[in-house]
Amino acid sequence: MMDDMDQQHYLALARSLVNDLERGRHDDAERTLEEISCLRKSASYAALDRLIALMDEAPSSDTLDAALGEILTQEIPEIIERLNYVDGMINDSASKTLNHVERCLEACERVTADVDVELKELKDQTQDLRHGLNEILIAQSFQDLSGQVLNRVIDMVGGIERYMVQLMNHKAHDGEKLDQGPKTRSGEENADPYGPRIPGLDNPEMLKDQEEVDDLLSSMGF
Amino acid sequence: MKILIVDDFSTMRRIIKNLLKELGFSNVSEADDGNTALPMLKGGGFDFLITDWNMPGMQGIDLLRNVRADPGIATLPVLLVTAEAKKDQIVEAAQAGVNGYIVKPFNAATLKEKIDKIFERIQATG
């Protein structure tokens, strides 16, 4: 944020910078640039100070405390857990991909090394190749799952951001109505899509794997 | 056999398409959500539907309900392949008339097993 005084100061410095450059006064131009960067630094610190002062003055109403408490105790830890999960998944997938690619390359080497190889053996080696390539293929499914988790994180952070903006507006236009808290999908109805299961997040409603899904379905007569 | 794969992630559509090819199914079409898939299905000619649940536009569960509600395609076998794994969701899908449910991440063997099972059951009843 820039107030009128800052703006006048910036303009004056910018004019003198152009002036210095046009006249080839490089030392002066350097000093002006230094001054601009100092002013910029102090302006952003001033904005930060205003923000902190605003937070200090915030009413200690129950809604506000509850909403901020939820952000700090639930939303932020959940975001971190989701990001950790994505990080681990990308890592595992990359390592699996490399393992299978290496095996494929070895199979290729065997095929090219043994030109006078038996036909049956050649068939087996090609089969190995196909298998390896299919494993590489399916390992890329991490992109779907990590993409879903990341989209959700973006959604959650967006909710927090919107709420913070609302909080600031509330302070600026004293008394503007405030929502319950940042709206994210985690509070939605059960039947709505939740996204991939995150091992670090406790969700007792969620089944762990295909076996549990199959068990549930067969208990329903499937 | 003509198969339709519905998923908003093209990576997943390609993976399933290639796995189906390995299993001997090469007549495969793709759609990125229920809204695109439904008119294709109503257009006729499809023998099997593989769909994701969570998609922008029409979700997989609503696509399944729409299929079951349309007399022309009501008996189409439907396999859900999704990361959604809440108990309520699986129950909901079963009640909506799904033929199989695969939870992501899955492997090639699981896909083959579920497809085989669906067609065994259809042959046994039909």
Side-chain angles (χ1 to χ4, degrees), chain B residues 60-79:
Chain B
I61 188 74
D62 297 319
L63 176 62
L64 170 64
R65 289 199 181 102
N66 274 295
V67 166
R68 292 292 176 255
D70 186 312
I73 49 174
T75 58
L76 184 75
V78 179
L79 175 65

Side-chain angles (χ1 to χ4, degrees), chain A residues 37-177:
Chain A
S37 97
C38 277
L39 178 66
R40 201 165 161 230
K41 218 167 161 189
S42 70
S44 41
Y45 280 140
L48 202 63
D49 282 341
R50 279 200 292 275
L51 186 67
I52 290 165
L54 216 57
M55 297 306 280
D56 282 342
E57 289 165 21
S60 60
S61 79
D62 289 345
T63 340
L64 204 61
D65 283 348
L68 286 174
E70 201 183 317
I71 288 168
L72 294 173
T73 61
Q74 283 178 33
E75 304 288 356
I76 306 283
E78 189 171 337
I79 288 168
I80 291 164
E81 202 60 58
R82 284 176 189 274
L83 288 174
N84 279 334
Y85 176 64
V86 171
D87 188 38
M89 190 158 50
I90 289 171
N91 192 30
D92 287 349
S93 265
S95 126
K96 260 190 226 165
T97 306
L98 288 179
N99 291 346
H100 290 296
V101 170
E102 278 166 7
R103 248 172 258 152
C104 285
L105 288 172
E106 280 163 22
C108 286
E109 255 170 54
R110 285 200 300 275
V111 171
T112 46
D114 306 338
V115 208
D116 56 348
V117 76
E118 292 285 328
L119 212 61
K120 160 87 173 64
E121 209 177 311
L122 190 66
K123 221 176 161 183
D124 288 348
Q125 285 175 4
T126 314
Q127 191 53 42
D128 283 353
L129 257 179
R130 291 179 73 90
H131 177 74
L133 289 169
N134 275 305
E135 290 294 333
I136 293 171
L137 199 82
I138 203 158
Q140 304 313 305
S141 64
F142 81 94
Q143 193 265 326
D144 173 350
L145 295 174
S146 56
Q148 287 191 48
V149 175
L150 282 176
N151 286 339
R152 203 166 187 89
V153 170
I154 290 161
D155 193 53
M156 290 167 87
V157 175
I160 292 170
E161 191 190 11
R162 279 191 297 279
Y163 187 72
M164 287 305 197
V165 168
Q166 221 190 14
L167 207 62
M168 305 313 289
N169 288 341
H170 174 77
K171 282 307 296 175
H173 315 286
D174 204 29
E176 188 178 288
K177 201 176 174 295

Side-chain angles (χ1 to χ4, degrees), chain A residues 209-222:
Chain A
D209 50 25
Q210 187 66 42
E211 212 181 313
E212 288 196 4
V213 172
D214 291 348
D215 287 348
L216 175 64
L217 286 173
S218 65
S219 78
M220 294 177 71
F222 250 72

Side-chain angles (χ1 to χ4, degrees), chain A residues 130 143-144 194-195 207 210, chain B residues 11 22 84-85 87 103-104:
Chain A
R130 291 179 73 90
Q143 193 265 326
D144 173 350
Y194 180 84
L207 303 184
Q210 187 66 42
Chain B
T11 308
E22 273 301 295
E84 301 299 323
K87 246 179 240 172
V103 64
K104 294 174 185 171

